[in-house]
Amino acid sequence: MSHPRRIVPLFALVYLGMLFGGALLKPGYSHMAQYISELGASGSPHARLISLAGFVPVGLLAAWLLLACARLAPVSGASRVGYWLLLCEPLAWIGSALAPCDLGCPASGSVRQQLHTLLGVLTYGGTALGLLLATAPRLPAGIRLLWAGLAATWLLLFVLMAAPGLQAWRGLLQRLAEWLVYGALCVAAWRLGGPARATTSTRTPATGA
């Protein structure tokens, strides 16, 4: 299994490349008002390319990072179940490529749009539950509070981005949710992949994922 510290920067580069590179292929695309999944919306320019060369690699790298950190994360029992629930995010990226949203990503629409919406609900719920359960007892109280706060913020931003009155800001709200959670998880993965852990493969309560 590859070292987490090699995967973290690769994931960040591919994620940002998908996000900003994909937007360059979409005339008039707004990071402020449009969901990320609209980059691969059915019928939009270069949707298939962005889905296969953007969404899928992001999902695979995220899954790879979670697998690489699994032996190092200080989790067991329910907290390990929570850790594996974080795979909802990688699966959502790959699922978005297989079930793209309709143009505009409406709440209802084609069968693929309905599947896409269901995937989003399951992903946000599963990720929030994963963050809560992954708070291993051996972690410091401050770190456990951080994961709980991230889970609450993640769900709050999900509710806000779906609110009709905040449609003009939904893209920004989604990006804020992802950057907060993904950033925290990448920092945790980087710390888990520190020299001492990489050589001994021991589990310590310094941090978690």
Side-chain angles (χ1 to χ4, degrees):
M1 190 65 65
S2 295
H3 197 288
R5 288 196 173 186
R6 297 192 184 101
I7 306 173
V8 167
L10 181 58
F11 169 77
L13 285 173
V14 172
Y15 174 85
L16 292 174
M18 172 278 300
L19 187 60
F20 294 104
L24 291 175
L25 299 175
K26 300 285 186 179
Y29 180 83
S30 171
H31 289 285
M32 186 76 69
Q34 291 181 273
Y35 291 128
I36 298 173
S37 57
E38 292 184 63
L39 291 171
S42 298
S44 65
H46 308 292
R48 196 63 176 166
L49 173 63
I50 295 171
S51 292
L52 295 179
F55 293 174
V56 172
V58 167
L60 291 176
L61 282 170
W64 187 17
L65 182 57
L66 285 169
L67 291 172
C69 290
R71 63 187 174 85
L72 304 171
V75 291
S76 61
S79 60
R80 182 157 291 277
V81 172
Y83 181 88
W84 290 119
L85 277 173
L86 297 178
L87 281 171
C88 287
E89 282 303 303
L91 293 176
W93 284 105
I94 297 171
S96 292
L98 300 175
C101 65
D102 295 341
L103 288 172
C105 207
S108 61
S110 67
V111 173
R112 281 187 299 189
Q113 174 62 55
Q114 293 176 41
L115 289 173
H116 186 88
T117 301
L118 177 62
L119 179 65
V121 172
L122 294 176
T123 297
Y124 274 85
T127 300
L129 181 59
L131 289 170
L132 285 173
L133 291 179
T135 54
R138 286 181 293 167
L139 293 175
I143 298 296
R144 296 201 302 270
L145 184 61
L146 169 64
W147 293 131
L150 282 173
T153 303
W154 174 261
L155 284 179
L156 174 62
L157 291 171
F158 173 67
V159 172
L160 291 176
M161 75 177 71
L166 295 175
Q167 187 172 0
W169 302 93
R170 65 185 188 180
L172 178 62
L173 293 169
Q174 183 187 35
R175 284 157 179 77
L176 180 59
E178 289 197 353
W179 294 348
L180 284 173
V181 171
Y182 292 3
L185 291 174
C186 283
V187 169
W190 185 269
R191 293 184 65 186
L192 283 171
R197 295 181 181 84
T199 55
T200 64
S201 295
T202 58
R203 294 172 182 170
T204 69
T207 186

